[in-house]
Amino acid sequence: MSNEKNSVSPSEMEPNDLPDVPAFQDEFTRDFLQSTEQTKEGYYPFLSGSDSFTMDFPEDMTVNKRSYEIGPENRSEFITMSHTDTQREAFLNQRMSYISFLTDPENSRERMRSSSDKNLEFNEIETEHKEQHLEIAEYENDSLHVTAALIWNENNQGISIFSHIDCRKDLNENQCAESKQTQKDAVIEMLKSIQFTEKESE
């Protein structure tokens, strides 16, 4: 019986049968989630709309339908995701841009520097995914802590990501710094979970 239930995708299930968390209760976000089985505590398996990459998706975030874009032949994709709980101590807003035609990682780094108006210094982070690279730069922008990430592989697939973290206004400086650090650590783990899917031969 459980096998039959697990074979049904979350988008085909009744909302009352789904986990009572924002990611599943939001109809648009639900379409990206592949199972109600957690990948780890608080995270569920996510597949991009272009079928280009997977990741561990936080249960307390949703994908913004209004800003979502997917390019012709699934060659590009733009995703914005954010927290929905206004009582959180630290909030994350994340913008992800996927392309299937990244020929030079340095061009992408320069575009990200230009977009942020910062001289970003990228450092590579080790992940379990040996056939791809994760590079991260961090900076402060007014009250925001920003993690800029570039993920790429030798198949010309690339994802540029800006993760903006802000605090609830009633926190003092120490509380805000601690909450931002906790959220930043979660962001890094999420970024490390991203994995490109195999591209079909042209």
Side-chain angles (χ1 to χ4, degrees), residues 50 52 69-78 98-101:
S50 60
S52 302
E69 294 179 14
I70 190 163
E73 300 178 356
N74 293 338
R75 289 167 57 81
S76 63
E77 188 171 6
F78 180 78
Y98 166 80
I99 58 171
S100 64
F101 41 90

Side-chain angles (χ1 to χ4, degrees), residues 99-199:
I99 58 171
S100 64
F101 41 90
L102 185 153
T103 54
D104 182 1
E106 183 55 28
N107 287 343
S108 292
R109 295 184 197 104
E110 283 302 322
R111 279 196 298 273
M112 295 177 75
R113 291 179 181 119
S114 176
S115 171
S116 64
D117 199 25
K118 301 286 183 183
N119 185 25
L120 303 178
E121 294 187 15
F122 288 89
N123 297 297
E124 184 148 6
I125 302 290
E126 284 222 17
T127 74
E128 296 178 356
H129 314 308
K130 301 304 180 189
E131 302 302 315
Q132 62 187 51
H133 305 270
L134 167 61
E135 302 174 10
I136 289 175
E138 299 179 73
Y139 64 95
E140 303 295 323
N141 186 10
D142 295 328
S143 66
L144 298 174
H145 175 85
V146 184
T147 298
L150 177 64
I151 304 174
W152 56 280
N153 64 13
E154 303 299 333
N155 290 328
N156 298 335
Q157 292 175 289
I159 309 173
S160 58
I161 304 165
F162 284 96
S163 303
H164 299 84
I165 302 171
D166 201 359
C167 288
R168 205 174 63 207
K169 299 306 180 189
D170 62 337
L171 299 189
N172 64 39
E173 188 174 340
N174 288 339
Q175 290 172 322
C176 181
E178 188 174 325
S179 298
K180 279 184 176 179
Q181 183 63 50
T182 299
Q183 185 60 65
K184 186 181 82 170
D185 292 344
V187 165
I188 299 298
E189 290 306 307
M190 190 187 345
L191 295 173
K192 289 165 67 174
S193 78
I194 294 173
Q195 183 174 22
F196 291 115
T197 56
E198 296 267 334
K199 283 178 68 176

